[in-house]
Amino acid sequence: MSTTSALDGAYRKAGWHLIPFIFVCYLFNYLDRVNVGFAKLEMLDALKLSNTVYGLGAGIFFIGYVLSGVPSNLILHRIGARRWISVMMIAWGGLSACTLFVSSPMSFYVLRFFTGVAEAGFFPGMVLYFTHWFPTRKRGQVMALFMSAIPISGLIGGPLSGWMLSHFGAGQGGLAGWQWLFLLQGLPTVLLGVGVYFYLNDGIAQATWLSASEKSAMQAALDADEKERAAVSTVGQSFGAVLRNGSVWTLGVIYFCIQMGVYAINFWLPSIIKSLGFDNPQTVGWLSAVPYLAAAMFMVWAGRSADKHRERRFHVNLPMAMGLVGLLLAANFSSNALIVMIGLSMATMGALTALALFWSLPAAFLGSAAAAGGLALINSLGQIAGFVSPFLVGWIKDATNSTDAALYILSSVLLVGALLVLRIPARLVNR
């Protein structure tokens, strides 16, 4: 067997061992993050909260997230992924479940803030974790498979959340449907967090399920990839050098633009569908699954295409343009349910695919020493959108009784991001 074939076999083994489990962890990460969008359908009336209060509560999560992102990832880099990710998942799963006890705007804000603190290091930590296993040429498809958990969480979470609201709507066990929603989607994360400690390995050297030759081949490929990154990188290896690098800040702004569209979809998709005249929570849940199903298939195809053609920029730029067009369709034809659903599907496909493939850009040129702080910084800048986007949409919805103006603003932000992608030098990322 050739060295290349043996290495590809080792990658397949690593992929099957790591990606399905991490996929499930990220699926519940996203469920715990966006289930508040479905809880909103009952929670606002039950607690007498306005759309502005909801938007602020949904967004304040990301203040804690942004403040804690860099230090959390530096801790992970120091003590290892297995222990730190386990701690994070147990903490955020418990806090998410405790949202069932919310009784006022302030308690809503406090729980959302600390849930954001607990979750902050998970996603950038996973991006960093994959750099310890897979070289640049493999990461487009790896990231697409991993991040397909986002649309799958919508595909599963929509109908599941709608069923929970309907099934438990009568107040079974003394809890309302929205309270059961937080409880039943938070507790599995705690159990998965315990599983992380026993299942994951911190790196290739600790993987008892790989043979010595497989470990050697994978490590040699990573070492060669590191040399290539060092040859094209303009970023020093200290966190101070990361802070001084213009490309890192440009990538942070691009990620912010993508996330503005993503979080608008995540937090407001059920409400937009409900405004089309669908009042039954289960119907809203099933209809909200359609855009996420389309996004899951498109995301995996685009990831394979990016790796096959060794092209990264246009595989981010064009999906952003697709998301822009989808938001404009949803805003311009807001009275036509079919066109709105087509627009929302296009927006979801474009925004989530751009979100997944974006991470092949910084990971392609940040050296291993700079990656821990650099990836967390970029992620933290992007996650500011998690506060701005839902609050902006909620404020506009209260002021105009419509989300159309917000969709126009969000499409403009996606346009800015799509243009900035083209400013990233192709030599840095097209590998």
Side-chain angles (χ1 to χ4, degrees), residues 229-251:
R229 282 192 284 170
V232 301
S233 178
T234 59
V235 185
Q237 295 303 292
S238 69
F239 185 60
V242 169
L243 290 174
R244 294 189 295 271
N245 187 269
S247 294
V248 171
W249 289 95
T250 299
L251 287 166

Side-chain angles (χ1 to χ4, degrees), residues 29-104:
N29 172 252
Y30 232 78
L31 279 178
D32 286 345
R33 189 181 303 183
V34 303
N35 57 14
V36 70
F38 270 93
K40 171 186 177 289
L41 299 177
E42 291 186 356
M43 188 179 179
L44 265 61
D45 288 338
L47 300 179
K48 303 296 187 287
L49 305 179
S50 69
N51 282 292
T52 303
V53 168
Y54 164 75
L56 179 58
I60 206 168
F61 168 100
F62 295 96
I63 295 178
Y65 192 106
V66 168
L67 291 175
S68 304
V70 171
S72 183
N73 219 36
L74 294 175
I75 293 171
L76 182 147
H77 184 61
R78 180 177 294 273
I79 72 171
R82 181 175 61 91
R83 284 180 288 178
W84 189 237
I85 290 172
S86 177
V87 169
M88 284 191 290
M89 292 189 68
I90 292 169
W92 96 59
L95 287 166
S96 181
C98 285
T99 310
L100 71 91
F101 297 114
V102 163
S103 59
S104 67

Side-chain angles (χ1 to χ4, degrees), residues 193-231:
V194 175
V196 163
Y197 185 83
F198 295 100
Y199 186 79
L200 286 188
N201 305 109
D202 285 324
I204 294 171
Q206 293 78 34
T208 56
W209 40 271
L210 288 172
S211 68
S213 60
E214 288 170 334
K215 290 180 183 180
S216 177
M218 289 179 70
Q219 189 59 55
L222 283 182
D223 292 342
D225 186 65
E226 176 68 16
K227 290 180 180 178
E228 287 185 31
R229 282 192 284 170

